[in-house]
Amino acid sequence: DAKHNGRNGFRFFTQNIAETLRQRQLIEKGLRLALSEHHFFLVYMPIFDCKDNTIAAVEVLLRCESPELQGIGPDQFIPVAEASGLIKDIDLWVINNALQALLILQTEHKFKGKFCINISGVELHNEAFPAKVKHLLSYYNIAPESVELEVTETAFVAGDVTCVETLKALNKLGISLALDDFGTGFTAFSQLIHYPADCLKIDRSFVNDLFSEREARNKMVMVIQNLAKLYGLRVIAEGVENEAQLAYLKENGCDWAQGYYLSRPLSWEDLLVLLNS
Ligand code: C2E
Ligand code: MG
Ligand code: MG
Ligand code: MG
């Protein structure tokens, strides 16, 4: 009966909460271990120029090989890192290692493209962050124009002064800024004019829905491309998984594209093979 089901439902519910908490603690433990025992590593996803199919940029993506994080990707562990405060150390680890890698690509492999590094939205409230980036750029002697920082659009709070100030400070360093997963957090549409952004990254869900009948989502790629044109921003399409999507994006003036159809995220060794081929 209903009462019986309800009680079972409640037990199921509390068991789920306990399980979620246990999972979170495990991930946090794995992240701490990763920082101290060097379990983090980077993979590299090429981004292609739609005009000539050359490699215009490389996005750096974080991976972790702690035993506690078996089969768990950044979509799951970054939110835990943000909630536990570990994210600041992790973002710095990523930037440090990405710039080291970029220096090798530039000096030994004639790489001329941009390096795209993801940072957490947490950094937009971290006043010390732009100075840290500046220090690392000069430490590795990297030209700021070769670096693009990606921030998820949902990290932006409409009218938030600190966010805009941090973005302006980063922009002053000469690096470029991309709004990642663009279209998933509608605040930026009206706020866009306040952000010193250089690039919009169309979220892969919209690329995925290009030819679907679902609501008006199949029009989103067009909307974002027009918006970018109005504001003079570069557009990167994420999550290109087939020829038809790529053809559509090319025809409609998309600047750069990335996705499994073009290349999976690569190990350092495989990236070198691709760049030298
Ligand atoms: P993102 O920055 O939007 O990165 C794109 C994600 O989509 C990557 O997942 C990539 O592997 C995946 N992807 C790219 N093309 C395709 C495709 O064609 N099909 C499908 N199904 N997936 C595709 P990943 O590496 O799991 O990263 C997930 C998210 O975690 C990233 O989304 C980013 O927000 C965050 N992240 C990754 N690395 C870092 C990092 O170093 N620092 C920070 N703060 N966040 C990171
Ligand atoms: Mg990204
Ligand atoms: Mg994205
Ligand atoms: Mg994402």
Side-chain angles (χ1 to χ4, degrees), residues 75 152 180-181 203-204 238:
D75 270 335
T152 303
D180 206 343
D181 307 330
D203 190 65
R204 75 162 187 265
E238 295 189 303

Side-chain angles (χ1 to χ4, degrees), residues 55-113:
I55 297 169
V58 171
E59 180 174 7
V60 176
L61 296 164
L62 183 61
R63 297 290 180 268
C64 183
E65 54 190 359
S66 293
E68 288 82 1
L69 278 102
Q70 281 302 314
I72 292 176
D75 270 335
Q76 275 174 281
F77 69 67
I78 292 291
V80 177
E82 288 174 338
S84 62
L86 290 167
I87 191 65
K88 289 185 182 181
D89 287 335
I90 293 174
D91 278 346
L92 285 181
W93 186 94
V94 170
I95 297 170
N96 229 302
N97 285 270
L99 294 184
Q100 263 178 64
L102 177 58
L103 187 60
I104 296 171
L105 294 183
Q106 289 178 341
T107 54
E108 293 172 25
H109 302 275
K110 301 188 181 104
F111 180 68
K112 301 267 192 291

